[in-house]
Amino acid sequence: MTEALSSPAFAPVTRFAVPGRIAVSNRTAAVWQTATLTEVRRETPYVSTFRFAVPAWQGHLPGQHLMLRLTAEDGYTAQRHYSIASPPEDSGHIELTLDHVEGGEVSGWFHTVAEPGDQVEVRGPLSGFFAWPGDRPALLVGAGSGVVPLMSMVRHHRARGLSVPLRLLVSARGPEELIYARELGAETTPVFTRSAPDGVPVGRMSTAHVAPLLADQPEGGWEAYVCGSNAFAEHASRLLVEAGQPVDRIRIERFG
Amino acid sequence: MNVTRGFTGRPRVNNTGLPPGQYDAGDDWPVLSAEVTPDLSPADWTFRVDGLVEQPHTWDWDEAHALPASAYEGDIHCVTSWSKFGVRFAGVSLDAFLAVARPHGSATHAVAYSHTGYTTNLPLADLTGGQAWIVWEYDGKPLPAEHGGPARLLVPHLYFWKSAKWVAGLTLLDHDEPGFWEQNGYHARGNPWEEQRYSGD
């Protein structure tokens, strides 16, 4: 006996955990575009936001990333994936928020050389998996620069005046390292792991932060978006699962 | 060529093992996966080959380990632009599994799927002839869960999203069918030497 002599559309025995959220445009992803740096804003002692004019940018959804390429005079290139910090409403412009990585080939150029007027190349937006179109209640959980794609979602939520529930849990070593601190509002619960303002506890993200949000689910439940280092992503996704969040509604972006 | 003012880059290494657009990650092995790492023990792991084959078969941990051992020592390349040189994996060649299942002549492609439900598509020609493995050891130790342990697919000549973590099976088809990342804009085949990153490449 043989089976499956005809082969209909394939469905795995285990349903994929996390279906993609949107269809992506293959054309825009394949084309390199010139991005002109227009502004650099200091966020924390080690993190800055770089604003670019990209006239032909065809828009993105919060949570998407792009690939960026720098080219040396001898033709050597370096390319990296970066999450987009700005919301889609920022038409013709995109913002990236970059850590100054010790010895970083690309981040080092941004933090020590780049100035307004410089040009780099970008392609994207890429991947529909971590995207949030603003349609479902979103529970955003990030640490360090993992807050970057989540901030695009928060900004989108505000720019559109959306009423769909949105909450942000963000972990930083201390208040001075909390990226976008001035912009964070009532939707945000900061978690400080090393130092905190008077009266605010110090410690890593725990069940105590996650459980109340999952005990008070909006209609339809949360779609969870987790972004940060792999160690943080493992820790935070486990907290969510233990608190009852279904694994097929947890999307993870790991910064390798 | 759009030269970036003031960008010199790392010192050039004349390394012909580095595909275009890649950098050497050195000792780092970044973890990239979209889903929650499953809690999957060797006792719960199974691997199945079905679809257009003469003899669909499911192996458990011990049965898979009873097949002839095979190792890979070489390089791996991730679409996010890191490469890693001289890595050592141990497991069993996929040829040993396919020899049991015996693909039909009409089989041209496969969908690899994971215990999490992750999928990725591959031409059958990329999985045969000593080019692909099921591996459970990395550098002489059990493969860590965050890297796909207890066992993952290994197809080192393609970008690493093809090497499905926590692999659960292969279904052989007579046509190509995009998997998870391929439906999310990534290239159908993913050959690093041709920089097949996104579906327009």
Side-chain angles (χ1 to χ4, degrees):
Chain A
M1 277 294 289
T2 59
E3 61 181 5
L5 281 171
S6 65
S7 51
F10 175 81
V13 288
T14 41
R15 177 176 57 97
F16 184 6
V18 193
R21 292 300 317 270
I22 55 150
V24 290
S25 164
N26 302 329
R27 286 188 309 282
T28 54
V31 177
W32 287 104
Q33 303 184 51
T34 299
T36 305
L37 186 60
T38 60
E39 185 189 341
V40 181
R41 291 200 307 273
R42 173 76 71 180
E43 301 282 359
T44 75
Y46 307 104
V47 176
S48 291
T49 290
F50 299 85
R51 180 173 176 81
F52 299 91
V54 192
W57 189 251
Q58 297 202 355
H60 60 274
L61 288 173
Q64 287 192 286
H65 59 269
L66 53 69
M67 192 172 243
L68 182 140
R69 178 167 76 185
L70 305 183
T71 303
E73 276 187 16
D74 64 355
Y76 173 86
T77 61
Q79 46 190 24
R80 300 289 185 274
H81 279 93
Y82 291 119
S83 293
I84 300 166
S86 47
E89 289 74 19
D90 200 358
S91 168
H93 290 80
I94 49 172
E95 292 185 357
L96 306 179
T97 298
L98 308 184
D99 273 315
H100 190 172
V101 180
E102 184 70 29
E105 182 179 33
V106 174
S107 77
W109 179 84
F110 270 103
H111 283 272
T112 61
V113 178
E115 54 186 46
D118 283 338
Q119 294 189 325
V120 301
E121 291 173 292
V122 295
R123 62 190 293 198
L126 302 172
S127 183
F129 163 73
F130 202 71
W132 182 68
D135 55 345
R136 298 184 199 167
L139 176 55
L140 316 179
V141 185
S145 57
V147 72
V148 172
L150 309 179
M151 196 64 204
S152 178
M153 300 176 190
V154 172
R155 288 166 165 163
H156 179 59
H157 192 266
R158 289 184 188 160
R160 288 287 174 89
L162 299 176
S163 58
V164 61
L166 175 130
R167 295 296 308 272
L168 172 62
L169 274 179
V170 59
S171 176
R173 277 189 281 262
E176 69 290 347
E177 292 190 46
L178 181 63
I179 304 171
Y180 313 126
R182 290 182 305 273
E183 267 188 78
L184 301 174
E187 78 290 323
T188 300
T189 304
V191 178
F192 297 115
T193 57
R194 301 270 176 81
S195 64
D198 284 347
V200 177
V202 173
R204 80 197 293 222
M205 197 174 286
S206 70
T207 302
H209 298 104
V210 171
L213 292 164
L214 290 176
D216 184 24
Q217 296 256 349
E219 194 180 337
W222 295 112
E223 196 78 12
Y225 291 78
V226 176
C227 187
S229 68
N230 179 58
F232 175 79
E234 288 289 307
H235 173 66
S237 62
R238 245 177 235 134
L239 287 179
L240 288 169
V241 170
E242 283 163 11
Q245 177 71 8
V247 289
D248 61 352
R249 300 198 58 188
I250 301 175
R251 292 157 198 282
I252 304 178
E253 185 106 312
R254 300 165 200 259
F255 287 0
Chain B
M1 188 169 79
N2 291 298
V3 172
T4 313
R5 183 191 64 81
F7 176 69
T8 53
R10 289 209 179 95
R12 311 293 184 269
V13 180
N14 189 12
N15 191 336
T16 52
L18 204 57
Q22 298 291 108
Y23 69 92
D24 181 357
D27 291 335
D28 290 342
W29 188 6
V31 174
L32 293 157
S33 51
E35 67 265 55
V36 177
T37 301
D39 185 14
L40 184 66
S41 72
D44 294 330
W45 180 83
T46 54
F47 177 68
R48 179 172 172 80
V49 177
D50 62 14
L52 294 172
V53 297
E54 296 291 337
Q55 190 59 59
H57 194 86
T58 302
W59 291 261
D60 66 17
W61 185 255
D62 292 337
E63 289 162 346
H65 280 67
L67 294 168
S70 177
Y72 171 76
E73 180 163 356
D75 309 333
I76 55 176
H77 312 288
C78 177
V79 70
T80 63
S81 78
W82 56 265
S83 291
K84 197 166 168 54
F85 293 112
V87 297
R88 294 191 300 142
F89 288 98
V92 169
S93 170
L94 205 55
D95 293 316
F97 294 93
L98 292 171
V100 174
R102 301 198 304 279
H104 286 169
S106 59
T108 57
H109 290 79
V111 173
Y113 56 93
S114 298
H115 283 275
T116 61
Y118 173 84
T119 56
T120 188
N121 55 306
L122 299 113
L124 190 54
D126 279 316
L127 292 172
T128 53
Q131 300 181 89
W133 291 259
I134 301 297
V135 294
W136 35 71
E137 271 185 29
Y138 174 77
D139 211 14
K141 300 189 192 83
L143 183 66
E146 63 186 14
H147 288 300
R152 74 181 296 164
L153 180 63
L154 175 69
V155 192
H157 70 288
L158 300 178
Y159 282 128
F160 221 47
W161 88 81
K162 296 290 182 179
S163 295
K165 295 180 177 184
W166 314 296
V167 68
L170 283 183
T171 295
L172 272 55
L173 306 170
D174 60 7
H175 61 278
D176 197 7
E177 202 157 293
F180 174 70
W181 284 122
E182 296 81 9
Q183 291 167 30
N184 276 287
Y186 285 71
H187 195 275
R189 180 155 182 256
N191 179 345
W193 297 96
E194 296 176 17
E195 259 200 291
Q196 295 171 340
R197 298 178 191 275
Y198 308 108
S199 58
D201 288 340

